[in-house]
Amino acid sequence: METRSSSGLDQFCSLLVERPGLTLLDLAGANQSTMGFLTNLGHRVYSDDFLLQMDRCFGDGDFYENQSDPQKAAQFLASALDYPAQHFDGALVWDSLEFLTGPLLENVVERLNNMLRPGSYMLALFHNEERVETIPTYSYRIQDRKTILLAPRGRRRPAQFFNNRSLEKLFQDFESVKFFLTRDHLREVIVRR
Amino acid sequence: MWNRRKEEEKPAPRPIAAQPAQPPPQPVKTQPAKETSPMSSVPIRPTESFDATRAGNAVLGKSVVVKGQILSREDLTIDGEVEGTIEMQEHRLTIGQNGKVRASVKAREVIVLGTLHGNVETGDRIDIRKEAKLVGDIRTARIVIEDGAYFKGNVDIVRVELSKPAAAASASKPSTAPPANSPVSTGPAMAAGVGEIKR
């Protein structure tokens, strides 16, 4: 398992240290490392495997073409993001947004916005290599507040590549978007609701 | 002589009936229960690290379907299907690899190797093993999630109480601890929380 230091995670965790008893959403799939880190800080964690949910809904056939099927998209939203409004104080969505196409992506971001309480943070990661066919996917886990563990999950073709401008547009309904420069090809983004 | 001495040293075999003081083991109560077949008396295959029959607990075999309420006063292994509620607050529930449970569960300890849909409350710990599937909210003191397990739901860690001497000692000190309703724990209770990693 690889590790990488993460300024975005550090920023996200600054909120967690200040205020115990938060309700957090982790879309990387349940794992001992993240669960232990967050619950030891006194928070409640809601876990789901967003990529696995995508594969269940869209994996039979063309993954991206299936996302434009309204019935499948509705089924996905109902199974993966059916949470009450303003339920979470923070969300770890990792790189999952990269594998969603246009209208569904907008719907997902809108739901995330709705699920988060004002003032809360969301951490997202985006690859910034434009000339590659596929990108590595991982199960992201928190080792400590500055370190992410990366458990490989194969490679996938991303739906699109995001630059700073497109990310600002994507999160335009949020209060602010903060980018973190990294030495590798992963752009870290902290979005404040 | 030698043989006789050896025989004398051997402990006398203890028949099961030689324990009159203890009540007979309580079978699993189901209220109401519809079973498509009687409760299995055939030993199930041992799971990865836990042999239910050797431990002497109750077993619902692969072909057993129970709909209703289960109240158990002994450890229970479910390898069949259960729908309803399961309460066994002082004991351990194991959902075997073939087990399919759709129920709210209250137990001292829960080990999931099969499938569980429902909320779980444990006094001690929950152990979600590789290839297990759990959908529901968990309230527990400790949780172990193996890689390869699928879990969807909320985890709420309930901190274990300090042992009596430690609690008494801390009570005599001026209060610097967080309020009782604070989810944050300190000292020994924190160490007893989530910390176990299985891969």
Side-chain angles (χ1 to χ4, degrees):
Chain A
M1 210 178 299
E2 301 168 40
T3 59
R4 77 190 296 276
S5 62
S6 168
S7 304
L9 179 64
D10 191 26
Q11 168 91 39
F12 183 86
C13 289
S14 63
L15 167 82
L16 310 185
V17 176
E18 286 166 15
R19 294 165 50 198
L22 302 177
T23 303
L24 305 169
L25 175 66
D26 175 25
L27 294 180
N31 62 82
Q32 189 73 34
S33 187
T34 303
M35 195 72 75
F37 178 81
L38 296 176
T39 56
N40 275 333
L41 289 173
H43 305 301
R44 303 176 78 195
V45 186
Y46 200 100
S47 283
D48 195 8
D49 191 334
F50 206 64
L51 269 182
L52 189 71
Q53 294 275 14
M54 279 189 226
D55 284 338
R56 281 180 184 161
C57 287
F58 310 120
D60 189 14
D62 189 306
F63 184 75
Y64 289 119
E65 208 169 283
N66 285 341
Q67 291 186 18
S68 56
D69 180 333
Q71 202 176 337
K72 285 183 177 171
Q75 188 191 339
F76 170 72
L77 289 171
S79 65
L81 289 172
D82 189 19
Y83 303 105
Q86 299 192 9
H87 187 66
F88 294 108
D89 300 292
L92 296 157
V93 300
W94 307 109
D95 66 351
S96 56
L97 300 179
E98 289 185 299
F99 307 104
L100 294 166
T101 51
L104 182 59
L105 175 65
E106 286 164 21
N107 273 333
V108 166
V109 172
E110 191 185 321
R111 284 222 179 187
L112 287 167
N113 190 344
N114 185 46
M115 285 154 37
L116 289 167
R117 292 197 183 103
S120 58
Y121 289 118
M122 182 168 79
L123 173 65
L125 308 175
F126 296 89
H127 289 80
N128 56 9
E129 280 180 296
E130 287 190 29
R131 290 177 187 171
V132 291
E133 189 73 12
T134 59
I135 53 175
T137 56
Y138 300 98
S139 167
Y140 294 90
R141 297 151 188 218
I142 302 176
Q143 185 176 56
D144 56 55
R145 64 174 288 171
K146 291 182 179 178
T147 315
I148 302 173
L149 288 165
L150 305 129
R153 293 182 81 172
R155 298 184 72 91
R156 279 170 187 263
R157 182 167 61 89
Q160 56 183 304
F161 286 97
F162 295 88
N163 54 33
N164 288 3
R165 200 171 194 177
S166 58
L167 285 171
E168 278 172 351
K169 193 180 172 196
L170 181 66
F171 298 118
Q172 61 187 350
D173 291 335
F174 286 78
E175 193 181 283
S176 65
V177 183
K178 191 172 179 179
F179 302 97
F180 291 88
L181 295 174
T182 58
R183 287 179 186 173
D184 56 15
H185 299 291
L186 212 53
R187 183 185 278 116
E188 297 181 353
V189 181
I190 286 281
V191 188
R192 187 180 159 90
R193 164 77 163 82
Chain B
M1 285 294 282
W2 292 107
N3 288 341
R4 185 180 297 170
R5 185 171 293 171
K6 276 182 185 173
E7 280 170 12
E8 284 168 359
E9 284 170 1
K10 282 183 185 174
R14 293 170 57 192
I16 295 168
Q19 297 170 336
Q22 288 187 344
Q26 294 285 324
V28 176
K29 292 178 185 173
T30 58
Q31 302 171 349
K34 291 176 189 173
E35 294 183 13
T36 54
S37 63
M39 195 177 293
S40 173
S41 58
V42 180
I44 60 159
R45 283 180 292 134
T47 52
E48 282 176 4
S49 60
F50 179 74
D51 185 343
T53 51
R54 203 166 50 189
N57 65 359
V59 177
L60 292 177
K62 264 198 284 192
S63 59
V64 179
V65 178
V66 177
K67 289 187 180 180
Q69 186 183 22
I70 293 179
L71 300 168
S72 180
R73 293 199 194 112
E74 62 182 297
D75 292 353
L76 172 66
T77 296
I78 298 172
D79 223 27
E81 291 181 33
V82 172
E83 197 177 321
T85 60
I86 301 170
E87 279 193 45
M88 38 192 304
Q89 292 189 335
E90 300 300 316
H91 299 278
R92 174 169 60 190
L93 171 69
T94 303
I95 298 170
Q97 284 167 323
N98 301 303
K100 287 178 185 166
V101 175
R102 190 171 284 273
S104 63
V105 174
K106 285 183 182 175
R108 190 199 70 218
E109 184 181 339
V110 175
I111 300 171
V112 188
L113 295 99
T115 303
L116 170 59
H117 282 258
N119 298 339
V120 183
E121 201 174 318
T122 74
D124 184 8
R125 62 185 259 166
I126 181 164
D127 195 341
I128 309 169
R129 299 282 176 85
K130 194 173 82 172
E131 293 175 18
K133 185 182 174 187
L134 197 163
V135 179
D137 294 345
I138 297 172
R139 234 176 110 75
T140 185
R142 292 183 294 160
I143 182 168
V144 177
I145 302 174
E146 281 189 9
D147 270 5
Y150 176 72
F151 166 65
K152 177 177 175 156
N154 187 64
V155 175
D156 198 359
I157 298 294
V158 182
R159 299 297 174 190
V160 289
E161 288 178 19
L162 296 172
S163 60
K164 281 181 183 173
S170 65
S172 64
K173 289 180 184 176
S175 176
T176 53
N181 60 354
S182 168
V184 180
S185 176
T186 55
M190 178 72 90
V194 180
E196 195 173 345
I197 297 178
K198 282 193 173 184
R199 290 205 174 86

